[in-house]
Amino acid sequence: MFFSRLRKDIAAAKANDPAARNKFEILLTYAGVHALSYHRLANRLYKMHLKLPARMVSQFARRRTGIEIHPAAEIAAGVFIDHGMGVVIGETAVVKEGVVIYQGVTLGGTGKERGKRHPTVEKNAVISCGAKVLGGFTVGEGAKIGAGAVVLKAVPPYATVVGVPAKIVKIDGRKIERR
């Protein structure tokens, strides 16, 4: 199971990064792949109710990679975190297969509420540099979040959102008329 997920993570890096030369280089040097591997261990410990060791693994990974992922977050195999420094993924976040996350992205909450307070990111979404996706809503399949956007509400599938606060500018590649 661990190695099949690792293979998918490496394949995602190879598919999404034109600078990736080979699988061995990705395995040895890609912080995003390392962070996801540490997260899988932390998540397993968390599910075994070993919460302190899980947090210790996640904090070790944060210091080593610059990527902070809460041990309870659910992240599918085949996610790619590119240039991941400063990425933060919160406790109730769910990230599905094929998602690409760039540096400085936050998948966070908006306060101290309980329950589902971090986003769910559906398959093949792209979250660009510095974007902040804050709240317990869904970013739809194939959606694109622009660099620096602050997303505070659900994003439909195949939509492109930009700005602060984020607004939809395209759906299915067609521009949206702004009023």
Side-chain angles (χ1 to χ4, degrees):
M1 176 88 118
F2 172 79
F3 290 107
S4 69
R5 287 175 174 242
L6 180 60
R7 278 193 293 278
K8 286 182 180 181
D9 294 342
I10 291 170
K14 185 87 169 103
N16 287 291
D17 187 355
R21 290 192 296 258
N22 60 63
K23 293 175 183 179
F24 190 64
E25 177 185 47
I26 293 166
L27 177 64
L28 292 178
T29 65
Y30 277 53
V33 172
H34 297 167
L36 291 169
S37 294
Y38 284 121
H39 172 69
R40 299 204 199 303
L41 171 60
N43 184 258
R44 172 167 272 177
L45 292 169
Y46 195 88
K47 287 178 178 178
M48 294 169 57
H49 302 288
L50 298 170
K51 293 188 166 84
L52 178 59
R55 288 300 298 233
M56 291 170 67
V57 169
S58 73
Q59 291 303 297
F60 175 79
R62 181 180 65 95
R63 284 190 299 278
R64 187 160 187 283
T65 66
I67 299 167
E68 183 169 351
I69 306 172
H70 191 284
E74 294 293 329
I75 302 178
V79 168
F80 178 49
I81 301 173
D82 193 14
H83 301 288
M85 186 61 74
V87 168
V88 176
I89 301 175
E91 180 180 19
T92 61
V94 177
V95 181
K96 302 213 175 154
E97 188 173 342
V99 170
V100 177
I101 298 172
Y102 289 96
Q103 69 268 18
V105 165
T106 299
L107 302 179
T110 58
K112 294 186 179 189
E113 65 273 0
R114 297 204 180 270
K116 177 73 170 138
R117 61 190 185 282
H118 301 94
T120 295
V121 183
E122 296 291 342
K123 289 182 175 185
N124 303 316
V126 175
I127 306 176
S128 298
C129 307
K132 308 304 176 204
V133 185
L134 306 173
F137 54 82
T138 299
V139 174
E141 182 175 346
K144 295 179 183 175
I145 310 297
V150 177
V151 183
L152 301 172
K153 58 185 178 182
V155 178
Y158 304 100
T160 301
V161 299
V162 299
V164 180
K167 293 185 177 16
I168 299 170
V169 294
K170 288 183 183 178
I171 294 182
D172 287 326
R174 290 186 296 277
K175 286 186 179 181
I176 300 297
E177 293 297 320
R178 294 195 120 170
R179 295 178 187 179

